[in-house]
């Protein structure tokens, strides 16, 4: 039986009528006719009053609140939380629970975003001002008279240029990351040979690897085509291999393994502790900030990798142990006409 205003009014009215008739049985002189009339009258009056109070003053007002609340809720959540019940109090309770739960999630998300915003502003401010202040210091020193000494001026100009080059790289990475996140950069998917792309990346990074005495290896069988944006996947591999070179041990190696559509980039470098693994793909996050800035890098490489792969409907995983090395892996899709 569904609990509706009519049923509630009926039950309450019957209860009042029965109690009234039972009470009249103990009253001297009360006959059956009196009890019938009194019972019927009390039932009708009670039914009308209770029905009016419950339906008009309670149910209808609660229904108004319920519908107002439904209008405030997200359309998708509203569809999922349709309550099949006549009782508006139950519907209202469920709707409020869903609404409060949704708002709590939104508040938690906003808090995380605010924390992330503060950290991001602090990091980007630090990374921008460091090369600017360095270049500014060298240039002011030259203006104060050091420019008269050819040897000193040449040395300071090279340092200022190096600082400005680092600033240019940082700004480019920020622009790329922003464009990828906002969708301004569209992916141009085409069949491409991963082995060929890896070999091109190795050629670009060969001199950097030699400086750190790092060997580059590729493990794969026959060429395999994947469906991807050549330029962006090249950037992904460049960032991952470069990361392996930067944090690899002298005399170590970086190996790219292609198995099917899965790609693994592994090094035997310093590794990453387990507590840092969940955050390595965050913007400007560095496991060892002092060492990272000493060897270069903007702290955006892995964030760019993650967002480019997300645009390819792919995710990236990382496995690492301190002192043993790090392995990044991701899987791309095959071309549509591929068997």
């Amino acid at each position: 039986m569904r609990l509706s205003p009519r049923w509630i009014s009926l039950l309450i009215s019957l209860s009042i009528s029965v109690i009234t008739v039972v009470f009249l049985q103990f009253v001297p002189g009360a006959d059956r006719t009196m009890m019938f009339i009194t019972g019927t009258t009390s039932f009708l009056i009670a039914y009308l009053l209770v029905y009016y109070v419950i339906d008009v003053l309670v149910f209808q007002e609660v229904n108004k609140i319920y519908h107002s609340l439904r209008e405030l809720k997200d359309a998708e959540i509203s569809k999922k939380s349709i309550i099949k019940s006549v009782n508006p109090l139950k519907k209202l309770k469920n709707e409020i629970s869903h609404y409060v739960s949704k708002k709590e999630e939104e508040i938690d998300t906003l808090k995380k975003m605010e924390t992330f915003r503060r950290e991001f502003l602090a990091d980007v401010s630090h990374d921008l001002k460091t090369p600017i202040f360095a270049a500014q210091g060298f240039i002011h020193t030259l203006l104060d008279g050091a420019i008269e000494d050819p040897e000193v001026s040449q040395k300071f100009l090279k340092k200022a240029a190096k600082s400005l080059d680092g600033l240019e790289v940082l700004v480019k990475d920020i622009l790329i990351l922003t464009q990828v996140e906002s969708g301004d950069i569209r992916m141009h998917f085409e069949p491409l040979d991963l082995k060929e792309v890896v070999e091109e990346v190795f050629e670009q990074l060969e001199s950097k690897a030699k400086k750190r005495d790092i060997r580059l290896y590729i493990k794969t069988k026959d060429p395999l085509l994947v469906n991807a944006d050549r330029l962006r996947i090249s950037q992904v591999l460049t960032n991952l291999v470069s990361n392996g070179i930067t944090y690899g041990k002298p005399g170590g190696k970086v190996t790219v393994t292609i198995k099917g559509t899965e790609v693994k980039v592994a090094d035997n470098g310093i590794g990453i502790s387990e507590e840092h693994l969940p955050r390595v793909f965050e913007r400007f996050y560095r496991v060892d900030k002092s060492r990272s800035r000493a060897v270069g890098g903007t702290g955006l490489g892995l964030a760019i990798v993650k967002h480019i792969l997300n645009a390819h409907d792919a995710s990236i995983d990382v496995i690492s142990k301190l002192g043993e090395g790090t392995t990044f892996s991701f899987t791309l899709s095959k071309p549509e006409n591929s068997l």
Side-chain angles (χ1 to χ4, degrees), residues 58-336:
V58 177
F59 271 44
Q60 288 187 15
E61 293 302 319
V62 171
N63 269 322
K64 289 178 183 178
I65 299 173
Y66 166 74
H67 289 301
S68 299
L69 184 61
R70 284 288 297 276
E71 291 176 0
L72 291 173
K73 292 180 60 180
D74 181 77
E76 183 180 353
I77 299 298
S78 297
K79 290 178 182 177
K80 291 182 179 179
S81 59
I82 294 175
I83 309 301
K84 295 181 179 179
S85 173
V86 178
N87 187 350
L89 295 175
K90 185 176 180 180
K91 290 196 292 185
L92 183 62
K93 174 181 174 294
N94 282 277
E95 289 295 327
I96 289 176
S97 297
H98 282 288
Y99 185 72
V100 169
S101 177
K102 180 68 176 176
K103 289 303 173 186
E104 285 178 349
E105 290 177 6
E106 291 178 359
I107 291 170
D108 290 339
T109 302
L110 288 173
K111 287 181 179 179
K112 290 178 182 178
M113 290 178 64
E114 177 62 21
T115 301
F116 176 78
R117 185 188 67 82
R118 287 199 300 267
E119 292 178 354
F120 174 77
L121 288 176
D123 288 334
V124 75
S125 297
H126 184 279
D127 282 68
L128 285 172
K129 75 179 182 182
T130 299
I132 291 174
F133 285 177
Q136 187 180 38
F138 294 133
I139 292 172
H140 279 298
T141 302
L142 291 172
L143 291 175
D144 289 340
I147 196 170
E148 302 298 334
D149 187 331
E151 185 177 346
V152 173
S153 62
Q154 188 72 10
K155 180 181 177 182
F156 276 31
L157 284 172
K158 285 182 179 179
K159 288 184 176 181
K162 185 178 180 180
S163 297
L164 294 175
D165 288 342
L167 179 61
E168 181 186 17
V169 172
L170 174 61
V171 172
K172 282 183 177 179
D173 281 353
I174 292 175
L175 287 174
I176 290 172
L177 184 59
T178 302
Q179 289 172 342
V180 173
E181 285 181 330
S182 63
D184 290 340
I185 295 181
R186 292 187 177 182
M187 301 295 157
H188 301 284
F189 294 96
E190 61 179 341
L192 63 89
D193 181 1
L194 277 176
K195 183 180 179 181
E196 184 181 308
V197 176
V198 173
E199 288 172 347
E200 291 175 357
V201 170
F202 280 4
E203 288 180 7
Q204 296 172 6
L205 298 174
E206 185 178 1
S207 60
K208 180 178 180 179
K210 282 183 178 180
K211 287 180 181 179
R212 291 192 47 79
D213 192 21
I214 301 289
R215 291 165 293 171
L216 303 178
Y217 295 99
I218 178 171
K219 291 183 180 180
T220 183
K221 295 183 179 179
D222 298 331
L224 177 68
L225 297 180
V226 295
N227 190 42
D229 184 304
R230 186 183 189 88
L231 178 62
R232 299 306 164 192
I233 291 302
S234 176
Q235 188 172 13
V236 166
L237 290 167
T238 299
N239 287 357
L240 293 177
V241 174
S242 178
N243 200 67
I245 296 171
T246 300
Y247 298 103
K249 298 175 182 177
K253 62 181 180 178
V254 175
T255 305
V256 178
T257 304
I258 303 173
K259 186 177 181 181
T261 56
E262 182 185 42
V263 181
K264 290 185 178 180
V265 181
D267 64 68
N268 59 349
I270 60 176
I272 305 169
S273 61
E274 188 175 352
E275 62 192 69
H276 293 291
L277 288 178
R279 300 191 63 188
V280 294
F281 296 104
E282 293 181 12
R283 289 181 286 188
F284 292 107
Y285 187 79
R286 294 181 174 92
V287 176
D288 185 344
K289 293 187 177 181
S290 58
R291 186 175 186 277
S292 296
R293 291 193 172 102
V295 298
T298 62
L300 294 173
L302 292 180
I304 292 173
V305 166
K306 178 184 176 182
H307 283 87
I308 289 176
L309 290 176
N310 285 345
H312 283 75
D313 292 325
S315 59
I316 183 166
D317 298 312
V318 56
I319 300 174
S320 184
K321 288 186 178 180
L322 279 176
E324 296 184 16
T326 304
T327 300
F328 293 94
S329 61
F330 59 91
T331 303
L332 299 171
S333 59
K334 294 181 180 181
E336 293 181 1

Side-chain angles (χ1 to χ4, degrees), residues 16-31:
I16 293 174
S17 179
V18 170
I19 292 172
T20 304
V21 171
V22 171
F23 178 77
L24 286 175
Q25 289 180 353
F26 297 98
V27 176
D31 55 15

